[in-house]
PDB file of all heavy atoms in Angstrom:
ATOM      1  N   LEU Z 114      -5.827  14.017  19.289  1.00  0.00           N
ATOM      2  CA  LEU Z 114      -7.178  13.615  18.963  1.00  0.00           C
ATOM      3  C   LEU Z 114      -7.825  13.201  20.311  1.00  0.00           C
ATOM      4  O   LEU Z 114      -7.166  12.640  21.113  1.00  0.00           O
ATOM      5  CB  LEU Z 114      -7.241  12.435  18.009  1.00  0.00           C
ATOM      6  CG  LEU Z 114      -6.742  12.676  16.530  1.00  0.00           C
ATOM      7  CD1 LEU Z 114      -7.000  11.443  15.715  1.00  0.00           C
ATOM      8  CD2 LEU Z 114      -7.372  13.797  15.809  1.00  0.00           C
ATOM      9  N   LEU Z 115      -9.209  13.356  20.416  1.00  0.00           N
ATOM     10  CA  LEU Z 115      -9.916  12.866  21.438  1.00  0.00           C
ATOM     11  C   LEU Z 115     -10.120  11.442  21.131  1.00  0.00           C
ATOM     12  O   LEU Z 115     -10.232  10.947  20.090  1.00  0.00           O
ATOM     13  CB  LEU Z 115     -11.107  13.508  21.730  1.00  0.00           C
ATOM     14  CG  LEU Z 115     -11.058  15.098  22.054  1.00  0.00           C
ATOM     15  CD1 LEU Z 115     -12.510  15.598  22.358  1.00  0.00           C
ATOM     16  CD2 LEU Z 115     -10.172  15.221  23.224  1.00  0.00           C
ATOM     17  N   LYS Z 116     -10.179  10.505  22.259  1.00  0.00           N
ATOM     18  CA  LYS Z 116     -10.354   9.153  21.991  1.00  0.00           C
ATOM     19  C   LYS Z 116     -11.661   8.736  21.342  1.00  0.00           C
ATOM     20  O   LYS Z 116     -11.710   7.692  20.611  1.00  0.00           O
ATOM     21  CB  LYS Z 116     -10.246   8.350  23.286  1.00  0.00           C
ATOM     22  CG  LYS Z 116      -8.801   8.243  23.916  1.00  0.00           C
ATOM     23  CD  LYS Z 116      -8.789   7.453  25.088  1.00  0.00           C
ATOM     24  CE  LYS Z 116      -7.269   7.358  25.424  1.00  0.00           C
ATOM     25  NZ  LYS Z 116      -7.248   6.298  26.767  1.00  0.00           N
ATOM     26  N   ASP Z 117     -12.604   9.537  21.522  1.00  0.00           N
ATOM     27  CA  ASP Z 117     -13.869   9.435  20.773  1.00  0.00           C
ATOM     28  C   ASP Z 117     -13.755   9.318  19.105  1.00  0.00           C
ATOM     29  O   ASP Z 117     -14.456   8.790  18.406  1.00  0.00           O
ATOM     30  CB  ASP Z 117     -14.947  10.393  21.118  1.00  0.00           C
ATOM     31  CG  ASP Z 117     -15.532  10.289  22.513  1.00  0.00           C
ATOM     32  OD1 ASP Z 117     -15.214   9.068  23.072  1.00  0.00           O
ATOM     33  OD2 ASP Z 117     -16.161  11.214  23.100  1.00  0.00           O
ATOM     34  N   ARG Z 118     -12.642  10.076  18.756  1.00  0.00           N
ATOM     35  CA  ARG Z 118     -12.488  10.191  17.339  1.00  0.00           C
ATOM     36  C   ARG Z 118     -11.959   8.794  16.733  1.00  0.00           C
ATOM     37  O   ARG Z 118     -12.182   8.631  15.588  1.00  0.00           O
ATOM     38  CB  ARG Z 118     -11.418  11.218  17.089  1.00  0.00           C
ATOM     39  CG  ARG Z 118     -11.256  11.720  15.759  1.00  0.00           C
ATOM     40  CD  ARG Z 118     -12.551  12.522  15.325  1.00  0.00           C
ATOM     41  NE  ARG Z 118     -12.803  13.558  16.302  1.00  0.00           N
ATOM     42  CZ  ARG Z 118     -13.928  14.290  16.376  1.00  0.00           C
ATOM     43  NH1 ARG Z 118     -14.857  14.097  15.534  1.00  0.00           N
ATOM     44  NH2 ARG Z 118     -14.051  15.344  17.238  1.00  0.00           N
ATOM     45  N   VAL Z 119     -11.482   7.971  17.528  1.00  0.00           N
ATOM     46  CA  VAL Z 119     -11.090   6.619  17.157  1.00  0.00           C
ATOM     47  C   VAL Z 119     -12.236   5.852  16.528  1.00  0.00           C
ATOM     48  O   VAL Z 119     -12.208   5.052  15.549  1.00  0.00           O
ATOM     49  CB  VAL Z 119     -10.399   5.729  18.119  1.00  0.00           C
ATOM     50  CG1 VAL Z 119     -10.071   4.432  17.701  1.00  0.00           C
ATOM     51  CG2 VAL Z 119      -9.217   6.500  18.717  1.00  0.00           C
ATOM     52  N   ALA Z 120     -13.520   6.075  17.117  1.00  0.00           N
ATOM     53  CA  ALA Z 120     -14.727   5.458  16.588  1.00  0.00           C
ATOM     54  C   ALA Z 120     -14.954   5.857  15.142  1.00  0.00           C
ATOM     55  O   ALA Z 120     -15.714   5.144  14.468  1.00  0.00           O
ATOM     56  CB  ALA Z 120     -15.905   5.776  17.521  1.00  0.00           C
ATOM     57  N   GLU Z 121     -14.589   7.090  14.730  1.00  0.00           N
ATOM     58  CA  GLU Z 121     -14.718   7.422  13.382  1.00  0.00           C
ATOM     59  C   GLU Z 121     -13.545   6.946  12.495  1.00  0.00           C
ATOM     60  O   GLU Z 121     -12.520   7.656  12.433  1.00  0.00           O
ATOM     61  CB  GLU Z 121     -14.792   8.943  13.360  1.00  0.00           C
ATOM     62  CG  GLU Z 121     -15.996   9.479  14.101  1.00  0.00           C
ATOM     63  CD  GLU Z 121     -16.181  11.077  14.127  1.00  0.00           C
ATOM     64  OE1 GLU Z 121     -15.501  11.636  13.167  1.00  0.00           O
ATOM     65  OE2 GLU Z 121     -16.692  11.579  15.063  1.00  0.00           O
ATOM     66  N   VAL Z 122     -13.613   5.621  12.199  1.00  0.00           N
ATOM     67  CA  VAL Z 122     -12.406   4.886  11.718  1.00  0.00           C
ATOM     68  C   VAL Z 122     -11.730   5.583  10.607  1.00  0.00           C
ATOM     69  O   VAL Z 122     -10.498   5.683  10.717  1.00  0.00           O
ATOM     70  CB  VAL Z 122     -12.965   3.478  11.401  1.00  0.00           C
ATOM     71  CG1 VAL Z 122     -11.764   2.687  10.706  1.00  0.00           C
ATOM     72  CG2 VAL Z 122     -13.522   2.727  12.484  1.00  0.00           C
ATOM     73  N   ARG Z 123     -12.406   6.039   9.658  1.00  0.00           N
ATOM     74  CA  ARG Z 123     -11.732   6.528   8.382  1.00  0.00           C
ATOM     75  C   ARG Z 123     -11.058   7.836   8.878  1.00  0.00           C
ATOM     76  O   ARG Z 123      -9.746   8.053   8.469  1.00  0.00           O
ATOM     77  CB  ARG Z 123     -12.707   6.908   7.274  1.00  0.00           C
ATOM     78  CG  ARG Z 123     -12.074   7.429   6.104  1.00  0.00           C
ATOM     79  CD  ARG Z 123     -12.996   7.522   4.953  1.00  0.00           C
ATOM     80  NE  ARG Z 123     -12.481   8.077   3.778  1.00  0.00           N
ATOM     81  CZ  ARG Z 123     -13.032   8.213   2.537  1.00  0.00           C
ATOM     82  NH1 ARG Z 123     -14.328   7.727   2.425  1.00  0.00           N
ATOM     83  NH2 ARG Z 123     -12.374   8.625   1.502  1.00  0.00           N
ATOM     84  N   GLU Z 124     -11.566   8.725   9.641  1.00  0.00           N
ATOM     85  CA  GLU Z 124     -10.823   9.899  10.106  1.00  0.00           C
ATOM     86  C   GLU Z 124      -9.664   9.621  10.918  1.00  0.00           C
ATOM     87  O   GLU Z 124      -8.559  10.177  10.833  1.00  0.00           O
ATOM     88  CB  GLU Z 124     -11.774  10.778  11.005  1.00  0.00           C
ATOM     89  CG  GLU Z 124     -12.897  11.470  10.094  1.00  0.00           C
ATOM     90  CD  GLU Z 124     -13.624  12.565  10.848  1.00  0.00           C
ATOM     91  OE1 GLU Z 124     -13.086  12.995  11.879  1.00  0.00           O
ATOM     92  OE2 GLU Z 124     -14.682  12.909  10.468  1.00  0.00           O
ATOM     93  N   PHE Z 125      -9.771   8.610  11.920  1.00  0.00           N
ATOM     94  CA  PHE Z 125      -8.627   8.184  12.610  1.00  0.00           C
ATOM     95  C   PHE Z 125      -7.489   7.703  11.748  1.00  0.00           C
ATOM     96  O   PHE Z 125      -6.374   8.074  11.880  1.00  0.00           O
ATOM     97  CB  PHE Z 125      -8.998   7.188  13.610  1.00  0.00           C
ATOM     98  CG  PHE Z 125      -7.848   6.571  14.398  1.00  0.00           C
ATOM     99  CD1 PHE Z 125      -7.122   7.341  15.343  1.00  0.00           C
ATOM    100  CD2 PHE Z 125      -7.528   5.239  14.183  1.00  0.00           C
ATOM    101  CE1 PHE Z 125      -6.018   6.682  15.993  1.00  0.00           C
ATOM    102  CE2 PHE Z 125      -6.447   4.598  14.808  1.00  0.00           C
ATOM    103  CZ  PHE Z 125      -5.767   5.418  15.789  1.00  0.00           C
TER     104      PHE Z 125
END
Side-chain angles (χ1 to χ4, degrees):
L114 297 181
L115 296 185
K116 286 188 175 180
D117 287 347
R118 199 65 54 190
V119 177
E121 299 176 23
V122 175
R123 183 171 181 176
E124 288 189 25
F125 171 69

